[in-house]
């Protein structure tokens, strides 16, 4: 039996190691061992065979150098508790990176500045409304409060957490809170208010109810109202209840917030709740968009560099699942990465966040266009 074969190749001979097996007495595992081979030397016109005992079939002037041994464990023979870890399927690996982005984005400081100017200079097309009110809706811990704090951080120039962010299973936010998005230091408020609320109910028992959500959208719920599933909003029970809300009291756009890392684990009934809610909100003439948060937790490459978010097939697939969950087209959905453990701002993260705010404002403005006095009169005439 020969342990290696030296073959002629362009005037040089080289050794091909042959693996042999031997049982291990210590753990009973089968070990594959590479037998030693010889060093490479010029050998023109000759082929040398070497036996297991290192004696050669033909003469050779080559010196022998021992090679390191390699030990491999057969897959079926891995010891209990030491089996290879399986992939969770959540990480975006190199093989899932697309050749070209599925959405275009300019990741520059100039783009960040341009978006900030667009947002700070935003003016409603309806003069009687000072600011566009956008309601963030989503399950507990989906990232609603974190998104508000992240957007405020961009305009403040440093990471802050003005909107209280927590990790309680029942959510940290319990009441209706409105946050004015300020311009840069020394500047006035922008034309945008982000409204934070209690997390939506996933089990139909805890969390914000359908009735209370619609009450907020209609403008009946006063600022600071604390929600309770067993005490729905009502004219008789709610202190400060707004009986006849004006246009400025109402919600002008709804942004659903869903966690990319939980898309496949949300309860089946949540999709029905979303679709039912969307129907009622649409009947009120309010446009809706969606934010896909925690994208850095489903794609490893995006976690390392957020500029790869629109080159990730994983995130593209998750966005399709989010669209099915919400019952809306993917064109309404934008991915975001909130600031969480970071202490310093990142221009690419800022661009992604500001792009989401710009996306929201476009749909909020549609509400004002639809409810402008002349358009409202025309709609009423057509309905008659």
């Amino acid at each position: 039996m020969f342990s290696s074969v030296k073959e002629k190749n362009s005037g040089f001979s080289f050794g091909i190691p042959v693996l042999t097996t031997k049982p291990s007495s210590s753990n009973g595992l089968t070990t594959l061992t590479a037998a030693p081979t010889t060093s490479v030397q010029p050998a023109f016109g000759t082929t040398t065979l070497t036996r297991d005992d290192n004696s050669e079939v033909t003469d050779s002037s080559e010196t022998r150098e021992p090679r390191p041994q390699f030990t491999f464990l057969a897959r079926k023979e891995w010891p209990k508790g030491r089996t290879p870890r399986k992939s969770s399927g959540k990480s975006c690996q190199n093989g899932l990176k697309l050749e070209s982005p599925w959405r275009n984005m300019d990741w520059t400081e100039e783009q960040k500045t341009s978006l900030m100017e667009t947002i700070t200079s935003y003016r409603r097309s309806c003069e009687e409304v000072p600011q566009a009110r956008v309601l963030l809706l989503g399950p507990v811990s989906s990232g609603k409060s974190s998104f508000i704090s992240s957007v405020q951080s961009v305009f403040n120039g440093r990471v802050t957490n003005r909107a209280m962010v927590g990790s309680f299973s029942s959510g940290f936010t319990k009441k209706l809170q409105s946050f004015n998005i300020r311009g840069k230091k020394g500047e006035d408020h922008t034309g945008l208010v982000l409204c934070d609320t209690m997390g939506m109910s996933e089990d139909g028992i805890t969390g914000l109810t359908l009735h209370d959500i619609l009450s907020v959208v209609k403008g009946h719920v006063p600022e600071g109202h604390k929600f309770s599933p067993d005490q729905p909003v009502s004219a008789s029970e709610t202190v400060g209840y707004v009986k006849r809300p004006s246009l400025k009291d109402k919600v002008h756009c709804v942004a659903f917030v869903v966690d990319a890392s939980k898309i496949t684990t949300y309860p089946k009934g949540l999709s029905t709740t979303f679709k039912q809610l969307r129907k009622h909100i649409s009947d009120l003439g309010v446009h809706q968009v969606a934010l896909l948060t925690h994208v850095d937790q489903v794609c490893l490459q995006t976690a390392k560099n957020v500029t790869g978010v629109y080159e990730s097939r994983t995130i593209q697939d998750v966005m399709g699942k989010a669209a099915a969950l919400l019952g809306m087209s993917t064109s309404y959905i934008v991915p975001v990465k909130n600031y969480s453990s970071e202490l310093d701002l990142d221009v690419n993260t800022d661009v992604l966040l500001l792009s989401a705010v710009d996306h929201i404002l476009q749909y909020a403005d549609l509400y004002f266009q639809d409810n402008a006095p002349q358009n409202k009169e025309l709609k009423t005439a057509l309905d008659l």
Side-chain angles (χ1 to χ4, degrees):
M1 176 179 179
F2 298 105
S3 62
S4 65
V5 180
K6 292 186 180 176
E7 298 178 348
K8 182 175 66 177
N9 183 15
S10 302
F12 292 90
S13 62
F14 55 93
I16 303 176
V18 177
L19 300 179
T20 59
T21 63
K22 63 178 182 178
S24 173
S25 59
S26 60
N27 54 15
L29 300 178
T30 299
T31 302
L32 305 181
T33 304
T37 60
T38 60
S39 61
V40 177
Q41 294 291 340
F44 297 93
T46 180
T47 299
T48 302
L49 303 180
T50 306
R51 297 188 180 88
D52 285 340
D53 59 359
N54 288 334
S55 62
E56 298 175 346
V57 176
T58 61
D59 293 335
S60 172
S61 61
E62 300 166 352
T63 59
R64 304 183 189 283
E65 295 180 2
R67 294 288 181 90
Q69 292 188 338
F70 302 94
T71 301
F72 305 92
L73 297 180
R75 184 174 182 178
K76 65 180 180 180
E77 297 174 317
W78 277 81
K80 184 178 180 181
R82 295 183 56 192
T83 54
R85 182 180 298 175
K86 295 181 180 180
S87 171
S88 64
K90 291 185 177 181
S91 296
C92 170
Q93 302 175 9
N94 292 333
L96 298 179
K97 185 176 180 180
L98 302 176
E99 294 183 0
S100 59
W102 40 280
R103 284 182 186 171
N104 295 319
M105 182 72 73
D106 185 9
W107 305 98
T108 63
E109 188 73 43
E110 291 74 19
Q111 176 67 359
K112 173 183 172 179
T113 301
S114 175
L115 286 167
M116 290 181 72
E117 290 175 351
T118 299
I119 295 167
T120 53
S121 62
Y122 170 75
R123 295 295 179 269
R124 284 70 50 215
S125 53
C126 184
E127 296 181 358
E128 62 179 285
V129 180
Q131 293 173 301
R133 290 174 58 82
V134 177
L135 177 64
L136 301 184
L137 284 177
V140 173
S141 300
S142 57
K144 302 181 297 297
S145 300
S146 294
F147 175 74
I148 294 173
S149 291
S150 297
V151 172
Q152 289 180 320
S153 297
V154 177
F155 284 97
N156 289 339
R158 60 188 179 89
V159 177
T160 56
N161 286 302
R162 186 159 171 257
M164 299 298 289
V165 178
S167 57
F168 298 111
S169 59
S170 59
F172 197 91
T173 305
K174 301 293 184 182
K175 58 185 181 180
L176 177 63
Q177 292 179 290
S178 301
F179 294 90
N180 290 288
I181 303 302
R182 294 177 177 271
K184 294 181 179 179
K185 290 184 178 180
E187 295 183 358
D188 296 332
H189 296 305
T190 66
L192 174 65
V193 173
L194 295 177
C195 303
D196 198 9
T197 60
M198 187 180 188
M200 286 175 55
S201 173
E202 294 184 31
D203 53 14
I205 302 174
T206 61
L208 204 60
T209 63
L210 176 62
H211 169 80
D212 285 355
I213 292 173
L214 295 178
S215 296
V216 174
V217 175
K218 294 175 182 178
H220 293 303
V221 182
E223 178 69 16
H225 171 73
K226 190 173 182 179
F227 296 98
S228 174
D230 17 335
Q231 190 173 354
V233 174
S234 66
S236 59
E237 299 292 335
T238 303
V239 178
Y241 183 89
V242 183
K243 294 182 179 180
R244 295 181 180 179
S246 63
L247 194 59
K248 65 181 181 63
D249 298 318
K250 299 178 180 181
V251 167
H252 311 123
C253 179
V254 170
F256 291 103
V257 184
V258 290
D259 186 341
S261 67
K262 297 180 180 178
I263 285 296
T264 58
T265 60
Y266 279 134
K268 294 180 179 179
L270 186 61
S271 179
T272 303
T273 301
F274 272 128
K275 292 171 183 177
Q276 184 181 12
L277 185 56
R278 289 198 63 238
K279 180 182 182 304
H280 286 291
I281 294 175
S282 297
D283 290 341
L284 297 174
V286 178
H287 296 273
Q288 303 131 59
V289 297
L291 306 176
L292 185 66
T293 60
H294 300 136
V295 291
D296 52 313
Q297 293 184 16
V298 298
C299 179
L300 181 61
Q301 297 303 319
T302 300
K304 293 178 180 178
N305 187 352
V306 75
T307 61
V309 65
Y310 287 124
E311 297 175 354
S312 168
R313 187 184 300 277
T314 298
I315 294 179
Q316 188 181 37
D317 291 343
V318 172
M319 185 168 288
K321 294 175 182 177
L325 175 74
L326 295 164
M328 62 168 54
S329 168
T330 54
S331 61
Y332 294 99
I333 308 173
V334 290
V336 294
K337 178 184 180 296
N338 294 329
Y339 285 111
S340 54
S341 60
E342 300 86 350
L343 296 178
D344 300 310
L345 296 177
D346 170 68
V347 62
N348 297 323
T349 302
D350 292 349
V351 167
L352 197 61
L353 287 164
L354 293 170
S355 297
V357 176
D358 183 56
H359 180 72
I360 290 171
L361 286 176
Q362 292 180 37
Y363 284 91
D365 205 50
L366 290 177
Y367 178 90
F368 297 121
Q369 293 177 28
D370 296 340
N371 289 273
Q374 61 272 21
N375 292 340
K376 200 167 184 179
E377 291 172 5
L378 177 60
K379 184 178 183 300
T380 302
L382 291 174
D383 291 341
L384 295 175

